[in-house]
Amino acid sequence: MLLNRLRIIVCIILSLLFQSCFGYITNNKSTYPFLADIVDLYCAYYLQGPNNLTDLEKVANDMVQAFPDEVYYYKILNEYTFPKLKKISKELQFIQTNCSFSIRHGNKILCQIDDFSLCCFDEYILEEEKYVLRIQKLMNSIYFFDEKGEALLTNKDLRHEMWNKLKQVYQNYNLSKDEIIAVNYLNNKGINPFCERIEINKTKSVLEIEEICSKICSKHAIDRIIFYIPLSIR
């Protein structure tokens, strides 16, 4: 009986110490409705966290235009959550690390998103799932940004168009998909690794992919594309 009480006391002390050092997550579903949802969505499209509250408001308004069927969700944000956050905006901290993002108010964590970066996945993926995941990434993890640096939210058709062209290159050169890397294409500046510090040689296949990117950028007023390619392309 005494031992159980001691365990409970130790757990409480450790919990208090953790909160004082690292902060604690609030029950923001009722305090700040849909805050975690809009932050998660921002990270999913931009591959990084927002810099401030204005960034979140901007993407919420963009989503209303892109997905009008979900207007109720954004109405709650604009009429309740954002006004409430604006009252404490000068005290908010937007904290970005390599693989996580959080918004804090003092020692309270209002929301936290983990493992959203392309550089932070696969650590615990089972071996038999990796091939399927690699193919899914090659096909679907394609991100487009305009000249203002804003993400294209409705990009399904554009992703499909680009994947069909890339797939043809991979087939023509018989490129292995056993390993893939995320790359960053800047209009007229070519392809560079997004995460790893490795060199990508200007092979014929790489030049063809850069040509595909260049044409898509010109056709759709795109300035930047982030996507995956087979590592064997080097």
Side-chain angles (χ1 to χ4, degrees), residues 96-101 113-117 119-121 123:
Q96 177 89 54
T97 65
N98 287 338
C99 296
S100 70
F101 172 81
I113 309 297
D114 297 312
D115 296 334
F116 59 84
S117 171
C119 308
C120 301
F121 292 145
E123 188 175 353

Side-chain angles (χ1 to χ4, degrees), residues 31-230:
T31 309
Y32 301 104
F34 300 124
L35 174 61
D37 301 84
I38 195 65
V39 173
D40 186 48
L41 186 146
Y42 187 100
C43 292
Y45 278 98
Y46 282 88
L47 305 178
Q48 64 179 40
N51 295 309
N52 47 49
L53 194 55
T54 302
D55 284 351
L56 281 180
E57 290 181 289
K58 175 69 170 61
V59 80
N61 291 329
D62 289 345
M63 292 300 288
V64 172
Q65 302 299 320
F67 305 101
D69 291 343
E70 299 180 20
V71 67
Y72 171 78
Y73 164 77
Y74 304 109
K75 186 176 181 180
I76 295 295
L77 282 167
N78 286 318
E79 294 185 1
Y80 183 80
T81 302
F82 289 152
K84 195 169 183 180
L85 287 169
K86 284 180 180 179
K87 293 179 181 179
I88 56 171
S89 60
K90 293 182 179 179
E91 302 162 22
L92 294 176
Q93 294 176 288
F94 290 71
I95 300 173
Q96 177 89 54
T97 65
N98 287 338
C99 296
S100 70
F101 172 81
S102 63
I103 299 177
R104 299 188 178 213
H105 181 226
N107 68 335
K108 296 178 182 178
I109 301 174
L110 304 187
C111 74
Q112 180 165 313
I113 309 297
D114 297 312
D115 296 334
F116 59 84
S117 171
L118 300 187
C119 308
C120 301
F121 292 145
D122 296 350
E123 188 175 353
Y124 303 107
I125 300 297
L126 296 175
E127 192 62 36
E128 56 269 26
E129 297 175 347
K130 285 185 176 180
Y131 180 78
V132 174
L133 184 62
R134 285 194 293 269
I135 298 300
Q136 289 177 343
K137 285 183 176 182
L138 287 167
M139 293 176 60
N140 300 316
S141 295
I142 306 175
Y143 306 84
F144 303 94
F145 302 85
D146 64 18
E147 293 179 353
K148 296 179 181 178
E150 296 179 3
L152 270 66
L153 304 182
T154 53
N155 61 17
K156 183 178 179 181
D157 292 340
L158 193 51
R159 278 191 286 114
H160 185 70
E161 176 187 341
M162 182 163 172
W163 166 243
N164 283 337
K165 295 178 184 298
L166 292 175
K167 179 174 63 174
Q168 191 62 53
V169 175
Y170 303 155
Q171 291 173 348
N172 290 344
Y173 289 92
N174 195 27
L175 295 173
S176 169
K177 302 179 184 66
D178 289 340
E179 292 184 76
I180 60 176
I181 56 169
V183 295
N184 183 44
Y185 175 85
L186 288 174
N187 197 12
N188 299 321
K189 293 184 179 179
I191 289 173
N192 289 293
F194 185 73
C195 304
E196 296 89 345
R197 294 181 176 274
I198 59 176
E199 184 178 353
I200 298 179
N201 299 317
K202 298 297 182 180
T203 60
K204 288 184 177 180
S205 55
V206 168
L207 292 173
E208 285 190 30
I209 289 174
E210 288 183 336
E211 181 66 19
I212 289 169
C213 292
S214 177
K215 288 180 178 179
I216 285 178
C217 286
S218 298
K219 180 180 177 182
H220 299 281
I222 303 296
D223 191 61
R224 183 186 184 199
I225 309 174
I226 298 172
F227 60 106
Y228 283 95
I229 61 173

